[in-house]
Amino acid sequence: MTQPRQQSPAHRRVASCACGAVAIELRREPILTVTCHCHSCQTAGARFAAEGAETLDRDGGTPYVVFRKDRVHCIKGAARLEDYRLSPDAPTRRMVAACCRTPMFLEFLKGHWLSIYRDRLPPEDRPPVEMRTMTADRREGVELPDDIPNLARHSGKFMWRLLAAWAAMGFRTPPMARVLGEEA
């Protein structure tokens, strides 16, 4: 008798908060994996660090795994997720697990993707970072290695991958309620 084929971790990953009360399923392959050095990510990272949650790497960037919104679903603890915004009119919001103050992901409002904090994934499920973006905003004195592209801003490749993912979604933007399991 043959065993049923197991889905590989590359096709299904689970991101969770530090205490395990919130879990988010990530299906299929990510759009891309990037470390962002923009001022917003650095500011949020400093605020999170002051609360005991690390999101910045040693170079001051924030590593993300970017997924289509229709491939992300909260499977546990959705009611524990709360908005964290740098300002009331910010075009982005970070979602934090209120139970243990763990930053989970960043959403560009009205965007078709979510940027999952890479460290929320188990080490064996973390895809390698493909590029660093917004490096023109990095902290003064930080010298970045040349192991992957270090892009001053968002590159054409970065924007193309987002656009191609959106086209594959039929130019739809699923609402956050769907991600949180509040809408079918």
Side-chain angles (χ1 to χ4, degrees), residues 103-145:
M104 296 298 294
F105 60 86
L106 173 128
E107 177 194 24
F108 281 90
L109 301 179
K110 301 180 185 175
H112 62 279
W113 73 94
L114 293 176
S115 300
I116 310 297
Y117 287 99
R118 187 170 172 264
D119 288 349
R120 300 295 18 107
L121 292 164
E124 65 274 10
D125 285 345
R126 294 176 190 159
V129 175
E130 300 170 59
M131 65 183 79
R132 293 179 191 92
T133 62
M134 305 302 289
T135 61
D137 293 347
R138 71 185 181 276
R139 294 185 309 219
E140 190 173 322
V142 171
E143 293 295 323
L144 298 171

Side-chain angles (χ1 to χ4, degrees), residues 51-126:
E51 296 177 14
E54 292 297 328
T55 58
L56 299 175
D57 67 11
R58 68 177 179 271
D59 296 324
T62 304
Y64 292 110
V65 182
V66 181
F67 278 89
R68 290 172 34 170
K69 220 182 250 187
D70 63 347
R71 294 182 175 173
V72 177
H73 183 72
C74 188
I75 56 175
K76 181 174 152 187
R80 296 175 189 263
L81 289 171
E82 61 183 33
D83 287 4
Y84 185 98
R85 296 182 193 228
L86 295 178
S87 66
D89 59 341
T92 59
R93 66 177 171 172
R94 288 150 179 90
M95 298 299 284
V96 175
C99 45
C100 57
R101 302 303 303 155
T102 302
M104 296 298 294
F105 60 86
L106 173 128
E107 177 194 24
F108 281 90
L109 301 179
K110 301 180 185 175
H112 62 279
W113 73 94
L114 293 176
S115 300
I116 310 297
Y117 287 99
R118 187 170 172 264
D119 288 349
R120 300 295 18 107
L121 292 164
E124 65 274 10
D125 285 345
R126 294 176 190 159

